[in-house]
Each structure stands twice: as structure tokens, then as C-alpha cells.
Amino acid sequence: TEKEATQEIKLLIYPNPAPDVCTISTEGRLSGPGVLVVQNTSGQVLQQHKVADMGISFTVQTARLPDGIYFVRLSGDAGF
């Protein structure tokens, strides 16, 4: 059913603010390879990382990013 097809996935990013590095992890049934994209509020892609397994926590270097607000997009083969 449609309700069964909907899958809740939480993306956890910490610490905030992240002066040097942040950790990104997921909660939910998420695994396999993917791509993580960090964008600024103008939509400019600042970082792009290949992720071997989205079900495992990984870190992103933030020291070179200026202070500001960023959007993180995590996408994988399953279409999310």
C-alpha cells in the first residue's frame, strides 16, 4: 500500500554550528552508495561527496566554508 511505501528517514547533522567538521548520519532503512551535496542559500554547490554506504555515519570538512546557512542533500540509487 501507499503507506507501506512511505519510508521515514532522518538526517542528523552535528554539531551545529560546525566550525571544522560535522558528522552526518541517518536514521531509518537507508543503505548503499549515494551522493552528498552541500549547497549555499543561492543554490551553489560547494561540496559534493560520494558516500559508500549511507547507513553509516560519515564526516564532512567545514573549516573552509564561510559562516552561513547551508542545505545538505543526500541521494541514492533508490531515488531519494
Side-chain angles (χ1 to χ4, degrees), residues 11-25 36-39 47 49 51 56-65 70-73:
L11 187 63
L12 307 171
I13 304 172
Y14 52 91
N16 185 7
D20 298 314
V21 67
C22 70
T23 300
I24 299 176
S25 60
L36 175 103
V37 176
V38 178
Q39 296 176 290
Q47 294 184 12
H49 306 277
V51 179
I56 299 173
S57 296
F58 49 94
T59 59
V60 174
Q61 299 296 321
T62 58
R64 293 187 178 173
L65 295 174
Y70 298 94
F71 298 100
V72 175
R73 184 178 70 231

Side-chain angles (χ1 to χ4, degrees), residues 7 9 26 28-36 49-58 74-80:
Q7 183 183 39
I9 299 169
T26 61
R29 290 188 274 164
L30 189 61
S31 63
V35 176
L36 175 103
H49 306 277
K50 290 184 179 182
V51 179
D53 187 349
M54 295 184 296
I56 299 173
S57 296
F58 49 94
L74 186 62
S75 58
D77 294 337
F80 39 84

